[in-house]
Amino acid sequence: MNKFNKIAAFSLLALAMNGGAHAEGWYAGLDLTTSKMDLDGAAKDAYDAKVIDDQLDGGSLIVGYSFKPWLAVEGGLHAQQMDQLTWVTSPIATGFADTTIETRSISLAAKLSQPLAWGFSAYAKPGIAYTRTEVEVVGNATLLGFSGQVSKSATKSKVHPNLEVGLDYAFNDHFSAGIGYERQFDALSLGDEHYSLDTFKLGLRYHF
């Protein structure tokens, strides 16, 4: 290999090794999310009885600013929902319960990135969030010929820390995609208790 070919090969390798980092500036994007509730106590009993599910699905809108290739600050709006319909049938009673759990969050986080190779970069993202949980139960039951309905709802809020780790891939100077795992500590409020969420994300970003 002559000197020119060696320089060209080295230059291409250097570009590949540093392809995971974007320049400074604004970016925005969307995440698809699914979360598993880390339940125990009464909430775990409700899950075992199939009154609630332990999975929330939803999405996020993310806006960020990159100060350095390795440092950015992100803000996000997040929404997730679970809906569980339970039927009860016995010789003396019939009925149903429809339970809905919705979460709405706003978050702020610092994103620390490390470029890897071939356009990839790894990141860690510690942050803080405010999450509002709304629980609604609608039901109807018939017992020994007597019928009744129930409709109840409750809303509670919590400020909590988050920690996310993941992997990004830069397609070019403007578009990137990523996958991530986030632990939301004590984010979900059910009754007087707070439960953590394990959230998995698939996202797309546009860099201005």
Side-chain angles (χ1 to χ4, degrees):
M1 182 181 293
N2 60 36
K3 184 176 181 180
F4 175 80
N5 289 337
K6 289 181 179 179
I7 294 174
F10 179 80
S11 299
L12 289 173
L13 180 61
L15 286 173
M17 291 293 291
N18 291 282
H22 279 96
E24 293 83 351
W26 290 98
Y27 60 91
L30 298 172
D31 288 342
L32 296 178
T33 63
T34 182
S35 295
K36 185 175 178 61
M37 308 176 195
D38 189 3
L39 302 175
D40 59 17
K44 182 64 164 60
D45 294 337
Y47 168 74
D48 292 338
K50 301 187 183 303
V51 176
I52 64 172
D53 196 3
D54 66 347
Q55 182 173 316
L56 295 160
D57 296 310
S60 303
L61 173 63
I62 304 296
V63 175
Y65 186 85
S66 180
F67 295 95
K68 300 287 184 181
W70 56 272
L71 175 63
V73 173
E74 288 186 356
L77 298 175
H78 318 272
Q80 294 191 104
Q81 180 174 313
M82 177 233 75
D83 189 76
Q84 179 82 348
L85 179 62
T86 305
W87 289 93
V88 176
T89 302
S90 72
I92 62 171
T94 59
F96 73 91
D98 187 6
T99 305
T100 302
I101 299 176
E102 295 183 349
T103 65
R104 301 289 185 270
S105 303
I106 182 169
S107 67
L108 183 66
K111 185 174 184 180
L112 308 173
S113 300
Q114 173 60 52
L116 301 175
W118 316 116
F120 289 96
S121 62
Y123 71 85
K125 191 164 64 173
I128 190 169
Y130 168 84
T131 296
R132 180 176 178 268
T133 303
E134 181 177 354
V135 181
E136 182 178 17
V137 180
V138 177
N140 183 287
T142 300
L143 176 63
L144 299 175
F146 296 95
S147 297
Q149 295 183 342
V150 61
S151 179
K152 293 185 177 181
S153 63
T155 302
K156 292 196 173 183
S157 304
K158 185 75 164 61
V159 176
H160 57 89
N162 297 332
L163 180 60
E164 181 180 341
V165 294
L167 194 67
D168 288 332
Y169 177 76
F171 296 102
N172 51 46
D173 289 340
H174 292 290
F175 286 99
S176 67
I179 56 173
Y181 160 77
E182 182 179 40
R183 178 72 170 183
Q184 302 179 53
F185 298 93
D186 294 334
L188 183 72
S189 301
L190 299 177
D192 294 327
E193 301 297 327
H194 304 286
Y195 303 95
S196 296
L197 297 174
D198 293 309
T199 302
F200 296 90
K201 304 181 176 185
L202 178 63
L204 182 66
R205 302 287 184 267
Y206 180 79
H207 302 257
F208 298 95

